[in-house]
Structures are given as C-alpha cells and as structure tokens.
Amino acid sequence: MKTLYFDCGMGAAGDMLCAALIELLPDPEAFIAELNGIGIPHVVFGREASEKQGIVGTHISVRVDGEEEHEHVHSDEHHEHHHEHSDEHHEHHHEHSDLASIGSIIAGLAVSDGVKADALAVYRSVAEAESYVHGRPVDRIHFHEVGALDAVADVTAFCLLMERLAPDDVVSSPIHVGSGTVRCAHGILPVPAPATAYLLKDIPIYGGEIKCELCTPTGAALLKHFVKRFGPMPEMRVSSIGYGMGVKDLPVANCVRAMLGETAGRGTQTGFELSAHGDDMTAEQIGFCMERLFEAGALEVYTVPVGMKKNRPGTLIRAIVGEAEKGSVLRAFFRNTTTLGIREVETKRYIMARTVEERDTELGRIRVKRSHGFGVERSKLEYEDVARIAMERDVAFSEAAALAEDVIKE
C-alpha cells in the first residue's frame, strides 16, 4: 500500500507542505513549470534550496505581480510588509477574498475536476471556520488571511500534488501549533489563531516553547481534508523523503517532512464503535441518519433489529469510526437520531492492503479492486462499472460481471 506520512512536529503551513511534496516527485522543476501554466492570475511559482539547522530542503516562492508573499500571513513581518505594497498590488491581493470569487478562480484553472473539487472543499472548510469564529454567514466571509492569491496557489498546488502522488493512505503526526500571540487582520490573537483552532478540532495538537505560529489556517485545512488518520509513523518501507522549509529562522528546524513508501498492508487500526438505540424513528429517518454518519466520516454504518423496554421492537444503529472522525460522527448521531445517549467501545480493525486498477476495454473503463494481506489475495470488479455495463447491454448484473471478467482476463 502506497502510504504518505507527514511529520508536523515543527508545524504545518501550506507552502511548507507543498514544498515537502514537491521533493517527492522525480522531476520537481517540471512540476513547477506545470503549476505556472494552470492559470492562476498574477501568480508565478518558483523553487529554491533552503537550509534550516543544517538540513537542506525546498522553499516554494509564490510571486503575485512580481512580489513574493509568505504563507505565514499571521506574522508581524508580513503584516507590516503588506502595507508597503502599492495600491494596485493591494487590489490584486484582496479582490478575490470571498468564497464565490475564489470558486470562480478555481473553476477556471487547467486542472482536473478532482483537483478543483478538493481545492474548493478546502476553502469551504476555512469559510466554515471563519463563519464560526466571526459569527457571520459563510457567504459573507472574506478571507483576510487565506483569501489572497498566494494562498489560492498553495491550496491548488497541494491538491494537484496529492493527485499526482496518489497515495492509498495518508497519515500525519500530531501537529505542533506553536504558542504565544499572532497579529492578523483582526488584531492580536492567541496561537493557534481562532480559525486554525476550529479547523483542528478532533485532531491531536500540542503547543510548546516556540513563540510563533507554526500551523496556519491553510495548513490546517489541507491536513484536515487529506489526512485519514493522525498518530505515530506506521511501519513502512520509505522510498522518498521531502523537506519543505519555512521562511523564519527558529531555534528548531522550521520544516515539514513528508515520507512516501510502502506499508505491508497487514497492520491494525484502532477505532471506536459508536452505538445508539431507538424505538421511535421511522425507516426514512434511520436511512437518512445512516447517510449523514457516512458523510461525517464513519468507516462503517449498519443497523440491527433489537428488543427494547416495554417489549417494543427497536433498532440499534452502529458506526465504526477513527479517532479523528469521532467528534463529527457523534454530532451527526445526536442531530439525526432521537437518542439521549451514545455508547462507545474501543475496537481494533485488521486491515488488508488495497489498490484499484483501471483498465480501458471494449466495454469501457473497468476498475478492479485488489486486496492482499495475512496470506490472502483477492480481487473484485467495481460495482458501478458492472452496473453500467448491465444497463448499456440490457443484461442481468451477473451476466455483465461475467462479461467484464472475461474481458479483463483477455
């Protein structure tokens, strides 16, 4: 299983995350040239070597109308430098600062629909965080800190890098957020900044002695969207390592480290069973609840008929979740059921490695899901592809599956 691991012990900023991933590519300069051709207005990407505490890595520069911006937008240095910009640059810097205008920029980029969807989802999560912090509707939020074109560039570049690397699993260490205070558009605020703190809910974080903002809203939103689980580095055979360097010189190496490699696919994952019972919900309500639990991040959701007090027939609704998704699934449980309490049991899940192969055939594109581990190997056709073949040929599902199997073998 191809696994990507982020070491965020020195924090996580959007430009640093991008720089770390670029180092994992076989031809970083070609990727920079590709970024400069996707159509982000006024933006030019650059790549240069950077050294922190004796470690050499990559710094990614983003120039807006010829002037370099820094992703650490909350820092005092950037705040002061920002006001030295010309009126024209100031206008370019902030004219695309709400979700609708940012969505318009992303929609016009020369990237895949998947990259566009990921980039917009990241920005939507930041908008929701800002909405909560400032008490305003999402459509009235202006991104003072992450609405500038340099941040649009960081988000899009990261989403494109994740598509290019295509890891099967993404893991991150707990995130070092720093400490102290930070100056931003709204004044002097505590570290982590309020929007960052909201984005990092249900994610393991910690502070420390370093008086600096180490995790920015952009970095928090990117990790929240892409990372599947947070914890120690899994047992893996590392094939490439990337170091993404920040701008500031700190008492420790100001960098994010990314490692790409193979895991054996025969490991375990700690999870939680969240269970609720109800005897006063309709079938429609239960079905709706199950959909919302999956949307909130549940790995599995199922129901079991049970007998309840006063001999009433009822339903047990159970969701299997990871640590990072537990909070959001709990909220979805209470919002969409009539229960007054939810039981939690810690459980362990044994996982086989999984990959998806795509084949172009005379029946169209067919995906094959393959899994292995614990001495077992198996494969299965993707349901949606078999269903499409069955409808196109007006045959039974089993007949379409047999046709697809024959074509794959050939």
Side-chain angles (χ1 to χ4, degrees), residues 110-141:
V111 294
S112 70
D113 290 341
V115 170
K116 292 177 183 178
D118 283 333
L120 191 56
V122 169
Y123 258 101
R124 187 173 291 112
S125 68
V126 177
E128 291 170 356
E130 296 282 1
S131 173
Y132 171 83
V133 169
H134 301 301
R136 296 180 182 176
V138 170
D139 58 0
R140 294 184 57 195
I141 291 298

Side-chain angles (χ1 to χ4, degrees), residues 11-176:
D15 58 343
M16 295 165 65
L17 289 165
C18 289
L21 291 189
I22 284 177
E23 286 211 333
L24 302 180
L25 298 176
D27 191 346
E29 285 300 329
F31 185 78
I32 292 293
E34 181 180 348
L35 284 177
N36 285 324
I38 64 176
I40 303 178
H42 310 290
V43 166
V44 176
F45 289 87
R47 170 179 171 264
E48 58 192 33
S50 176
E51 181 178 332
K52 300 292 181 183
Q53 302 290 329
I55 300 173
V56 177
T58 292
H59 167 68
I60 296 299
S61 64
V62 177
R63 297 185 181 278
V64 182
D65 291 328
E67 295 189 54
E68 182 174 356
E69 301 289 333
H70 297 311
E71 209 280 343
H72 283 80
V73 288
H74 284 157
S75 68
D76 289 354
E77 290 88 346
H78 180 88
H79 183 82
E80 293 166 1
H81 177 66
H82 168 76
H83 290 291
E84 297 172 2
H85 295 169
S86 66
D87 291 340
E88 180 183 1
H89 183 71
H90 180 92
E91 180 182 352
H92 287 319
H93 190 81
H94 287 289
E95 65 184 348
H96 304 294
S97 62
D98 60 25
L99 191 59
S101 58
I102 288 170
S104 178
I105 293 174
I106 292 172
L109 298 179
V111 294
S112 70
D113 290 341
V115 170
K116 292 177 183 178
D118 283 333
L120 191 56
V122 169
Y123 258 101
R124 187 173 291 112
S125 68
V126 177
E128 291 170 356
E130 296 282 1
S131 173
Y132 171 83
V133 169
H134 301 301
R136 296 180 182 176
V138 170
D139 58 0
R140 294 184 57 195
I141 291 298
H142 285 257
F143 304 106
H144 296 287
E145 313 308 337
V146 291
L149 292 171
D150 60 310
V152 175
D154 288 335
V155 169
T156 307
F158 188 88
C159 295
L160 186 57
L161 282 159
M162 291 297 291
E163 179 186 67
R164 188 64 45 82
L165 294 168
D168 301 306
D169 194 18
V170 185
V171 188
S172 173
S173 70
I175 300 171
H176 191 176

